Each structure stands twice: as C-alpha cells, then as structure tokens.
Amino acid sequence: MAVQSACSSALVAVCEAAQSLADYRCDTALAGGVAVTWPRHRAGGMSSPDGRCRAFDESAAGTGYGSGVGVVVLRRLADARADGDHVYAVLPGWGVANDGAARAGFAAPGPDGQAEAIAEALASAGVDPAEVGYVEAHGSGTPLGDAIEAAALTEVFAGVERCALGSVKTNIGHLDAAAGIAGLIKAVLAVRHGLIPPSLHFTAPHPDVDLGPFTVPTKVTAWPDGPRIAGVSAFGVGGTNAHVLVQESEEDIPDAVGERSWVLPVSARDEVALRQALVDLREHVAAHGPRIADVAYTLAVGRRAFACRAAVECTDSTVLDALDAAIHQAGAPRADLARRWLAGEDVDWGAEFDGLPVRRVPLPTYPFQRSRYWIDPPGKEDPQ
C-alpha cells in the first residue's frame, strides 16, 4: 500500500500496518519510507540558513534536510514469540488524525489535530501520559512548527511533572517521507537500551515555544523508573498527523539447550563478502555473547543461502576460535551437515532444531559492498 501524507508518510504507514495486523488482515507487515533530497541544503522557505536543525532551540530558524530509508517488520506479539522472533519493542497504541479546517492553510500545522492523534494513541493503548518517559517529536526546527507541536503536547500531557523531548532531525536532518520511520527506530532503540538520547544544537528553549513539562536532554540520560514507554510523532504538510507509542518488550528467557556442537552456516555472493561476514559475526559474538544455539538457528532459518559458503563447527566455549579458523580458512568440517552445506546442497536445517528452545537473535546483516549508481548530469566527466 503506497501512503503519501508528506512528512508523516512513513509513520502513517506504520499505523496502517499495525491496524491491519490488529484486524487480522495480514500476519506480517513491512512498513517504512524513503526519501532522497538533493540538494540537501535549500535556501529560503522552511530551510535553516546553515542547514542545521535546532529543534525547540532559541536559535531555531528552519529545518535541515537529509536523505534516508528505514523499514520495520511488524507482527502480532503472540505470533512473534511463538515463532521465536526477536522482539525489539512493542507498539501498544497508535493514532492518526487530520487538522481539517482548523489550520490556517494547507502547509500550516494545527495543534488540535496533533493533540487528537497523540490522545488517540494513548487511549488505544490504555497508557496514562505520566507513564511516557520520552517523546520523539516531529521537531522540524521551524519556530512556528515547534511552537504548535509543543502546544499540542502540553495540552495532552497537562498535569505531567516531567518528560524528555527530542528530535532525530537534529542528527540526520529532515527525511521528508521517511522522517517518521527514523524517529520510530530511534525510540525503539531508546526503550530497548533504557537510555534517552540527547538532541543536538540545543541550549535554551525558543522564546515562542512553551515546553511545559518537557525538557530537551543534551546528554545521554538513564530511563526513569517504571515501564519504558516512548511516543513518536510525525506531522505532514496537508495536516495528516500520526503518533505511535513504543514500549519495551519483556525479556523472554528460553530454556537451556545444553552443551553440544553446532554448525554456523555463513554464505555470501563472493569471497570478499564472505570473509567480512565471518569477521562481523566474530566481533558480534565477542561483544554480546549470544547463545550459540540461537546464532546457529538464526543463520540456518533466517538467512538466504548464497554460493560462497563457510561452515563453522563449534560449541559455546569454542565459537571464537572456530570463527578465527574460518576467517583464515583453516581446518575442514567434520559433520556431514556441514560438508553438504559447503558442497552447495540446499540443506534442510529444520531437523537440527526440532523441539529445541531456540529463537532468532539480532546478528550482523549482509556486508555492505560499496557500488556507485549515481547518474551524473550530461556532459560531466565520470569520476570513476
């Protein structure tokens, strides 16, 4: 489904996907947005004079633009847990509203529609505003837009003592249709790690912006006591407003598997990417110490198989040495399953994990291999 509500497009897409899941119209949804802005700094209009976004700051004079893409996978929580998926966070509620005739013009925002979307998200989740520890704002850095957004937030959060406020636009610029997904991913990581990230370029509130109970952190702060719940806003030209609540997922600790040997199947399109995939996996395991049973399961059932392959035979205690050996192409596999995998067979890994309490875990993605696809204007020499 293509969604076009200007700057709120990606977050509205998330709301549409979440509602489709809630209504059992689908079982898995991908939601996100993409924007390529060129040039990144525009003179005049809503643009910041120096290209920097200073959301809610006394020096705010416009927004800075950026390019980006983001996408999230959404499933009903019960289905995700039953299938052993890794759950980064839960979306307990969402709301979409439009300013309608209450705004001054097509491009002008209105506080009533923004407040309605925020209130709808809170009500649908049964969450009291006082439970929200952080709001990832639209925060475009325009004095008028920031003032209206602050007014809508303070209306809904009336009576709340304190809440943190930030905007990812201060880090990466305004991503237009992808702005909302960038804010959502930031909020998901914040509740997952229990840390509220700072906003850049903030010194003091703009004189036209009444922040009410909200504070803009300028350094990383620990999440306040209580459940970790964040709100994410995205407001579009034309008046379509979206707000999504993000809550930490309760840790689902699986049963013990026991000490045994596992095969880690790793593959790539070429030898350079394969070696990098092994290096990335080794660094990840060393840094985070995941259960190797879960790593093996994720690699076996959650990755596409390519022609260049490596099979790492290991236990929890020998995994780093085994990965080192694979990186340096030392040793040969002993297990029949590993030899068949290296021979290029389409291995059915299911029997290896039948009845075992394993789950998918976050692992490094496919190694990024830089290739240039930019189209130069006619007459310009190709720098390649």
Side-chain angles (χ1 to χ4, degrees):
M1 177 189 293
V3 177
Q4 176 52 279
S5 58
C7 311
S8 62
S9 297
L11 204 62
V12 171
V14 169
C15 295
E16 288 292 319
Q19 193 61 52
S20 293
L21 286 162
D23 293 341
Y24 286 83
R25 288 187 282 142
C26 67
D27 296 320
T28 301
L30 302 177
V34 59
V36 178
T37 302
W38 188 265
R40 292 192 178 185
H41 178 54
R42 307 168 181 172
M46 295 173 54
S47 296
S48 166
D50 61 0
R52 292 185 176 181
C53 179
R54 296 175 169 83
F56 306 107
D57 185 66
E58 59 183 353
S59 300
T63 198
Y65 292 90
S67 299
V69 56
V71 63
V72 294
V73 181
L74 302 176
R75 300 192 70 193
R76 288 181 291 273
L77 181 59
D79 292 347
R81 285 182 172 161
D83 287 346
D85 292 335
H86 178 80
V87 180
Y88 284 89
V90 178
L91 308 184
W94 50 88
V96 178
N98 193 281
D99 296 334
R103 63 187 188 277
F106 181 77
D112 293 342
Q114 294 183 13
E116 182 182 346
I118 298 167
E120 180 184 335
L122 290 164
S124 65
V127 171
D128 189 282
E131 297 179 84
V132 178
Y134 173 71
V135 172
E136 172 61 25
H138 187 65
S140 61
T142 61
L144 176 61
D146 287 355
I148 289 176
E149 180 170 10
L153 281 167
T154 53
E155 176 185 336
V156 178
F157 282 73
V160 174
E161 292 185 7
R162 188 180 180 89
C163 184
L165 184 69
S167 173
V168 74
K169 293 178 180 64
T170 64
N171 300 90
I172 60 175
H174 192 332
L175 302 191
D176 195 64
I181 200 68
L184 178 65
I185 291 171
K186 176 184 173 183
V188 166
L189 294 174
V191 299
R192 182 184 181 214
H193 295 293
L195 297 171
I196 295 177
S199 279
L200 298 181
H201 317 309
F202 185 85
T203 54
H206 192 281
D208 295 336
V209 176
D210 180 7
L211 291 178
F214 293 94
T215 59
V216 180
T218 56
K219 61 181 181 180
V220 177
T221 56
W223 204 277
D225 293 337
R228 299 177 196 162
I229 303 176
V232 184
S233 292
F235 308 133
V237 171
T240 300
N241 310 305
H243 190 82
V244 174
L245 292 178
V246 180
Q247 185 169 352
E248 66 175 319
S249 172
E250 295 181 4
E251 184 68 20
D252 184 19
I253 302 175
D255 296 332
V257 178
E259 182 74 5
R260 54 161 286 185
S261 180
W262 300 98
V263 175
L264 310 185
V266 182
S267 69
R269 291 183 175 90
D270 58 43
E271 294 295 339
V272 174
L274 178 61
R275 187 180 190 281
Q276 189 59 52
L278 290 166
V279 170
D280 292 345
L281 181 60
R282 202 265 185 210
E283 291 178 352
H284 178 86
V285 171
H288 301 285
R291 293 195 322 165
I292 301 307
D294 295 331
V295 173
Y297 178 69
T298 303
L299 292 172
V301 306
R303 294 290 188 271
R304 184 187 302 178
F306 296 107
C308 295
R309 300 182 175 187
V312 182
E313 296 175 88
C314 63
T315 64
D316 283 78
S317 58
T318 64
V319 60
L320 296 181
D321 290 337
L323 283 167
D324 284 334
I327 291 169
H328 295 96
Q329 298 181 331
R334 295 185 300 272
D336 177 64
L337 206 61
R339 290 196 297 268
R340 287 165 48 203
W341 162 260
L342 288 178
E345 287 190 32
D346 186 12
V347 175
D348 180 11
W349 298 95
E352 279 289 288
F353 304 99
D354 274 350
L356 295 178
V358 289
R359 57 180 180 173
R360 294 179 181 88
V361 292
L363 293 177
T365 54
Y366 192 88
F368 181 69
Q369 295 173 282
R370 295 180 181 275
S371 298
R372 188 176 185 275
Y373 297 101
W374 190 258
I375 301 174
D376 289 313
K380 184 178 179 181
E381 292 185 6
D382 187 349
Q384 297 287 328

